[in-house]
Amino acid sequence: MLSFHALPALAALPVGLLVGLPAAAAPTSAAVFGIELAEPGTVGPRPLKPQDARRLALASETLRREVAGRGLEPVDLGAHAAEIRRDAPFYKCEGCAEKIAKAAGAVLVVYGYVQRSAPQVLNLTITVTEAESGKVLRGGQVVIQGDTDDTWLHGVRSLVKNRLFAEPLPNRS
């Protein structure tokens, strides 16, 4: 079972995302970063459990596919791997993702994290920002009940469909 929560800061944003772009319009480039695991109370990086690493990779790839399927053009972040490792986690680092995205030539930034609130209850949060200004354009959170591949992937797809791309992004339609 999933439940959705819009990020409070997004309530005042005007609505608008890439639905209805004219066919001649060039796709907007987006830096889609891998979904991270947030572990409150931990200091420094902690080795991931194999099932968590696999699910993060699956969820990240699903996020990239979903973003590309909504008309955005994901940029290659391979040349920035060292910076990504240095600056992660992005949910804690204000502006780091945007700086890397700008260097990679992206207009938008997409990043997210999963946080366990109980063994079978996880919170997935994904945010879309402008690379130039860091302005949050869209974001949301979904509660995932059940710690399986299917529940993680369903959570990503549902959040993208029902929160991130339910309407055109502000100033992007």
Side-chain angles (χ1 to χ4, degrees), residues 29-30 75 80 100-107:
S29 59
V75 299
H80 302 278
I100 294 168
K102 277 176 45 178
V107 173

Side-chain angles (χ1 to χ4, degrees), residues 9 14 29-30 49 73 125 131 139:
S29 59
K49 296 175 187 172
E73 180 72 34
T125 303

Side-chain angles (χ1 to χ4, degrees), residues 90-122:
F90 292 118
Y91 63 88
K92 286 184 177 180
C93 182
E94 295 182 26
C96 295
E98 287 78 8
K99 181 180 173 188
I100 294 168
K102 277 176 45 178
V107 173
L108 299 176
V109 183
V110 181
Y111 60 93
Y113 64 93
V114 172
Q115 181 178 19
R116 253 190 201 85
S117 49
Q120 293 293 312
V121 180
L122 304 109

Side-chain angles (χ1 to χ4, degrees), residues 2 35 54-63 65-66 124 142 144 146 148-160:
L2 300 174
I35 295 175
R54 184 174 47 75
R55 288 186 181 127
L56 287 169
L58 285 170
S60 297
E61 183 53 37
T62 299
L63 178 60
R65 275 196 316 270
E66 291 290 322
L124 169 63
V142 62
I144 302 170
T148 68
D149 293 359
D150 288 339
T151 57
W152 280 52
L153 298 179
H154 182 68
V156 170
R157 288 188 298 264
S158 295
L159 187 54
V160 168

